[in-house]
Amino acid sequence: MKIIYIGKDTECSVKICNHLSTFHQITWIADKSPAYEVECETVIDHGLWAPDCLDETSADLVVFNGGDNYSLMNKWLAAAKGKSEKFLIIRENDFTSSNGGEFALDQLLAKAYAPTGFSGIGILNVSPLYGTITVPNSLEKIIKAIVRKNKIAVPKNFHTVCDALHIDDFCCFLEKYILQMDSLEAEVVNVHSGYAFDTNSLFDKLKEYYPQLTVQQDVPYIENALAEDAVHFSDWTPKHVFLEEIDGIISCVEANIRKAYKRKQQKALSVAGKLAVFLLAFLAVELYTSFMAVASDLQHVDLRIAFIAIAAVAFGRKYSVAAALLCSGASMLQSLQMGYRWHVLFFNVNNWIPVAIYIFFAVVIGILAEKLEDKN
């Protein structure tokens, strides 16, 4: 079967494409070049927002995994009309909401299916997916909050049902579901692990890893109902149990926290280094300008313009504008030291001409430098 898969460059997309490519011919339309090795036949990067890339291809099935962006999904539905027999939408739920708004999905399905004329269309309402480096967003926020504060506030008597499905289990389900789409006209399928748990069980498990964790229950209680069971295929049973594998999830989140902290430190050092070089260059220019005020042959050479241009090329437009403002201030200060009074400097329009030139030059050179960098 020829399948076009539409989805972002994530661990989930890589595993889906690699798994399906064993049995089918896969073309992946991604938002960028994949960071991991992919076994599918073709990868079209930067095509997620360009449905017109379907103009030159056709398929038996289009799989859309673009999240809850219904506008983008409708564009792909329209683009796939006449080029694909079937259309499949993968929609991932929130970690603490396994029902996923089934009524809204039914309405969406009815609206999407009627005008398209596909021989088969389906929506997979999937529990949050996790894997080696993938963690459900809500859970990642919870663990990050615990790492930072060692406490978390939750609703009183909170028993919200949670569920998470391993990417490998979902890939096995997807393979079997695609083969059965020939007999399906239109439907919404809830796909979950079958090992749902409430947040009390989750926090009890987290306390094993964070003994100092305190759970504050001081928010009004909100109840969430468990979704109806997914369509169970006789030969598909999820093998992974989320709570039994949470140690790997915690290790992954903590590793992400360390990486983010390291990137933040490196960025801070980079900014500090740029500022140091920037200020030293400014001081050097001002010292040389003071020297030129004494040397009559060099009085009409303005090195500040060169400093602004170098700041724009080396550091970007923000630094070039900052350089222009510093040079303007230094020019005004130099005039005051030469005996001019402040009201003469302020109200005399001629004194503002260098300031305007500095700022204009900084903006223009900054924009040109950024455009040149983008092209490269």
Side-chain angles (χ1 to χ4, degrees):
M1 184 185 293
K2 188 175 181 181
I3 299 174
I4 295 176
Y5 176 83
I6 304 159
K8 294 181 179 179
D9 176 30
T10 62
E11 180 188 10
C12 178
S13 292
V14 170
K15 287 199 171 185
I16 287 174
C17 289
N18 287 345
H19 185 87
L20 294 180
S21 64
T22 307
F23 313 96
H24 308 283
Q25 181 182 343
I26 306 296
T27 298
W28 180 10
I29 300 176
D31 57 333
K32 58 183 179 180
S33 298
Y36 304 95
E37 185 177 350
V38 186
E39 298 172 3
C40 57
E41 182 178 292
T42 309
V43 177
I44 304 173
D45 59 347
H46 303 291
L48 196 62
W49 292 91
D52 55 355
C53 64
L54 284 183
D55 292 345
E56 300 178 0
T57 184
S58 60
D60 301 305
L61 170 67
V62 173
V63 179
F64 177 82
N65 188 12
D68 288 335
N69 192 322
Y70 296 137
S71 174
L72 182 61
M73 187 208 69
N74 287 330
K75 288 181 180 179
W76 281 105
L77 272 167
K81 184 179 179 181
K83 301 181 181 67
S84 173
E85 296 180 9
K86 296 181 283 290
F87 198 95
L88 178 61
I89 301 163
I90 299 173
R91 181 184 181 279
E92 192 173 340
N93 291 327
D94 184 71
F95 183 68
T96 57
S97 178
S98 54
N99 57 352
E102 185 183 358
F103 175 78
L105 286 173
D106 283 332
Q107 295 293 98
L108 173 64
L109 179 62
K111 181 181 178 181
Y113 178 71
T116 53
F118 294 101
S119 63
I121 186 167
I123 297 180
L124 299 182
N125 189 18
V126 187
S127 291
L129 297 170
Y130 72 97
T132 307
I133 58 172
T134 303
V135 182
N137 287 335
S138 299
L139 179 61
E140 187 169 12
K141 290 178 182 178
I142 289 172
I143 296 175
K144 285 181 177 179
I146 292 171
V147 171
R148 288 197 303 266
K149 302 178 182 178
N150 232 2
K151 64 180 180 179
I152 188 167
V154 298
K156 190 177 182 181
N157 300 320
F158 194 56
H159 295 287
T160 295
V161 174
C162 304
D163 188 37
L165 182 65
H166 198 281
I167 294 172
D168 292 343
D169 288 331
F170 177 67
C171 288
C172 293
F173 171 84
L174 185 61
E175 171 203 339
K176 299 177 187 303
Y177 180 82
I178 286 173
L179 294 176
Q180 297 196 21
M181 279 196 74
D182 290 336
S183 60
L184 301 174
E185 291 186 356
E187 69 172 357
V188 177
V189 179
N190 289 335
V191 186
H192 54 77
S193 69
Y195 305 108
F197 52 92
D198 63 19
T199 46
N200 286 337
S201 301
L202 173 63
F203 292 137
D204 289 341
K205 197 73 176 176
L206 289 173
K207 284 180 181 178
E208 296 178 11
Y209 298 90
Y210 304 102
Q212 304 301 320
L213 173 63
T214 58
V215 180
Q216 298 177 343
Q217 297 182 327
D218 53 4
V219 186
Y221 170 62
I222 302 174
E223 184 177 0
N224 286 355
L226 177 63
E228 64 176 290
D229 287 343
V231 174
H232 289 288
F233 293 78
S234 57
D235 56 348
W236 178 75
T237 303
K239 298 178 181 179
H240 297 265
V241 181
F242 180 78
L243 286 182
E244 293 179 1
E245 301 179 350
I246 199 169
D247 54 340
I249 298 295
I250 291 173
S251 298
C252 179
V253 175
E254 290 183 343
N256 290 340
I257 292 172
R258 288 193 294 271
K259 287 178 182 176
Y261 179 72
K262 190 174 181 180
R263 284 196 300 268
K264 190 175 180 180
Q265 279 188 320
Q266 289 174 343
K267 186 177 179 181
L269 288 172
S270 175
V271 171
K274 284 182 180 180
L275 282 173
V277 172
F278 176 79
L279 291 175
L280 285 172
F282 172 70
L283 289 174
V285 167
E286 289 307 309
L287 286 173
Y288 195 72
T289 301
S290 299
F291 165 75
M292 287 191 300
V294 178
S296 58
D297 295 339
L298 300 174
Q299 284 182 358
H300 301 293
V301 179
D302 193 350
L303 278 185
R304 290 171 179 146
I305 292 287
F307 169 63
I308 293 169
I310 292 171
V313 173
F315 304 126
R317 181 171 43 175
K318 291 181 180 179
Y319 281 88
S320 68
V321 172
L325 294 175
L326 282 174
C327 290
S328 300
S331 176
M332 291 288 188
L333 183 61
Q334 187 179 22
S335 297
L336 287 172
Q337 290 175 342
M338 292 172 63
Y340 291 95
R341 295 188 177 184
W342 69 267
H343 57 274
V344 174
L345 287 174
F346 187 81
F347 291 109
N348 190 342
V349 177
N350 292 332
N351 294 324
W352 290 98
I353 293 176
V355 176
I357 292 173
Y358 289 153
I359 294 175
F360 175 79
F361 194 73
V363 172
V364 171
I365 297 298
I367 291 173
L368 291 175
E370 288 179 356
K371 286 185 176 180
L372 184 63
E373 185 178 355
D374 291 340
K375 286 183 180 180
N376 295 333

